[in-house]
Every structure is written in structure tokens, then in C-alpha cells.
Amino acid sequence: MRALRPHLFLLLVVAIFSGNILVGKALTELPPFTISLGRVFIALLVVLPLGFHQARRAMPVFRRHWRPLLGLALTGVAFFNALIYASLKFTSPTNVAILESLIPVATLLFSAIVFGERFRWLQWGGVGLSFVGAVLVIMSGKASVAMAGGLNPGDLIMLLSVMIWVGYSMLVKRYMALFPRYGGLLVMLVIANLALAPVALLEGAWQVLPQLAGDQALGLLYLGIFPSVVALLLYNHALATLGPTGAAVYLNLLPVFTMFGAFWWLGDPILATELLGAVVVVVGVWFTLVPPRPAR
């Protein structure tokens, strides 16, 4: 049972991340930065007792490395999810999940460009397949809102969100080990709250949040507790056991969970082009993550 635990944790993580997209879609009546501010504020309250003492002891480290700390907070904690919620106003949860699953491929590309890492032909083939799948998804024309040429603005916003997460991943690779786990997350959540608050106030958060309906408040609680804290802890535990490649493979299931969740909960139809695009993206990402065979 102990050997199965990290695999079960990762399946639960994928379900929680899928729920993040589906609940975000259900809350699209709320402004996107207001949703994101509510999420990070609730997460701050949850992490505060876990990370307060770590953060206080690590203050000299935070002051010494404030630039990467600020970059980590603004990219991965603040604006990545804010753009996801903005994209959901225009496009479907399935499209968002498929495009989000491109993150490992985009990270591989930028690792090659920025860090000069070398990859095998199989991995580059996976990059090409994932790109084709993403084009199929973007051109599926499922959502009612479209720009000239049939492009959906939500899909383009989601691609920007993926690029922001790639930047976050680059910072994680180089700097995250400098900060304590819970204390670092606590400080990043404080920065994210300060960064999102002015934008959310411009959206009218000071009027919207006090008038939340019961189901909207429950949705924000879910976003603040499960994707922001619980999934992070489960993913880190599985990562320590299976390694980054073994853990990342499970995230390929995100489009599948979200597609059928949107069909069951939101009544979204499943288009043939969407299904085909999801399969192509998943296969492409799988190729980029397949480890090389050990030399004899």
C-alpha cells in the first residue's frame, strides 16, 4: 500500500487541478482578478500557521534574494491562475486543460533556449505533436466568443498563462531551494495578495466580495484550500518519491479529467476535434517526458 500511495496522491492532485478549472468556469460571473485575490487570501490564512515561524527565521534569506522571490510570487502564485480565470470567460474548461497540459513541453523548449539543455529526437518529436494538438484545440471554435479568423481570445490568454508558468518554472529550477517550503510559500502569498489587490479593486472587488452567494463563497473556499495548499502538499510528497518525470506524467491526465468533468457537471459537449487535440497533446507530452533507456 505504501508503494501505491504516491500514485494515489497524484491522481488526487489531477482531480483537484481539474476542479480548479471547473470551479473557475462556474465562477465566471465574478471578475477574474477578484477570484484570484479571494483564492490567495484564503490560502494565506491556511498557510499562516504552517509557515509563520519558518518565514520569521528566514527573513535574512528573503531580503538577500528578494528579486527571485518577487518573480516567483508574481508568476506562479498571483498571475498564472488569474489569467486562467480570465481565459475561462471566453473558452471552455476542456480547452484550458489541454493548453495547460502543454506546460512540460513549453518548459522543455525554454530549457533548451535559456539553459542550453540537450534533448533527444523523441522529445523534439513530442514538442511537434503537442504543438499540432494545441492548434487543433485552438481552431476547434467551440466557444461562442471569437476574434477575426475564428481564434478564441480565451485560448490566447491561456497560452500567455502557460508562458508565465514557464517563467515560474525557470525561477523554481534556480532559486526555490533557497527558501523554506512553508515559510517561502507564505511570503509569496503575501506578495501575491498585495499585487492582486489593486487590480481586483479596479474590478470592483470591494463591492463584489461582500455580496457573494453561498455557492460562490464555497467555490472560493475550494480554490483557496485545495488547489493552493492541499494539492501542493500531495504533489511535493509524490515528487520526492517518484521524481519530477514520474510525477509530471500524471498531469497528462488533466484534459481527460476536465473534459469529462465539464460534460458531467457543466453540460459541455465533447467535440471530436477537441478529443483528437487532447489525445495528440497527451501523446506529445508523454514523448517529451519518457526517460532514456539506461546504457548497458
Side-chain angles (χ1 to χ4, degrees):
M1 183 65 185
R2 185 180 297 272
L4 289 175
R5 186 179 300 170
H7 301 279
L8 296 175
F9 282 177
L10 285 169
L11 287 174
L12 185 56
V13 166
V14 174
I16 291 172
F17 284 169
S18 174
N20 178 52
I21 296 172
L22 296 173
V23 172
K25 184 65 174 180
L27 294 177
T28 49
E29 292 183 0
L30 303 178
F33 286 88
T34 299
I35 298 174
S36 199
L37 177 63
R39 167 191 170 130
V40 296
F41 181 73
I42 293 168
L44 175 65
L45 297 180
V46 173
V47 176
L48 183 62
L50 297 173
F52 178 76
H53 294 295
Q54 282 188 358
R56 188 173 62 177
R57 288 194 298 267
M59 277 302 167
V61 177
F62 296 143
R63 285 193 290 267
R64 192 178 313 121
H65 302 287
W66 67 270
R67 289 183 182 86
L69 182 69
L70 180 64
L72 287 163
L74 293 180
T75 53
V77 182
F79 291 107
F80 171 69
N81 280 288
L83 290 177
I84 287 179
Y85 304 140
S87 72
L88 285 166
K89 286 189 169 294
F90 304 101
T91 193
S92 69
T94 301
N95 280 27
V96 168
I98 295 170
L99 295 174
E100 188 174 342
S101 70
L102 287 173
I103 285 174
V105 175
T107 304
L108 182 146
L109 278 173
F110 275 79
S111 295
I113 295 169
V114 177
F115 297 113
E117 295 186 14
R118 300 176 66 87
F119 299 100
R120 293 167 295 125
W121 285 110
L122 182 63
Q123 291 174 299
W124 288 116
V127 170
L129 274 177
S130 299
F131 177 76
V132 171
V135 170
L136 283 172
V137 170
I138 291 172
M139 301 304 294
S140 65
K142 177 175 181 177
S144 58
V145 181
M147 301 188 305
L151 293 177
N152 186 286
D155 294 336
L156 300 181
I157 294 171
M158 190 58 209
L159 286 176
L160 176 61
S161 179
V162 168
M163 293 300 102
I164 285 177
W165 187 266
V166 170
Y168 173 74
S169 300
M170 300 293 105
L171 290 170
V172 166
K173 188 170 185 175
R174 186 167 181 179
Y175 296 107
M176 186 63 89
L178 298 173
F179 309 118
R181 178 181 298 177
Y182 301 113
L185 177 59
L186 177 62
V187 174
M188 290 176 205
L189 284 167
V190 171
I191 295 171
N193 274 273
L194 294 174
L196 290 168
V199 187
L201 289 174
L202 289 175
E203 289 181 330
W206 57 281
Q207 292 178 319
V208 172
L209 291 176
Q211 300 177 2
L212 288 178
D215 55 345
Q216 292 174 328
L218 288 175
L220 281 181
L221 280 174
Y222 174 87
L223 297 178
I225 295 172
F226 289 96
S228 306
V229 181
V230 175
L232 177 68
L233 298 178
L234 292 176
Y235 189 78
N236 288 344
H237 177 88
L239 192 69
T241 306
L242 301 179
T245 301
V249 167
Y250 276 85
L251 298 181
N252 295 350
L253 296 173
L254 183 62
V256 180
F257 276 63
T258 306
M259 186 181 299
F260 288 102
F263 175 76
W264 174 71
W265 187 33
L266 303 176
D268 284 4
I270 299 175
L271 299 181
T273 51
E274 230 173 22
L275 188 60
L276 177 61
V279 171
V280 173
V281 167
V282 168
V283 171
V285 175
W286 183 277
F287 283 168
T288 66
L289 297 174
V290 171
R293 293 181 179 178
R296 292 184 179 178

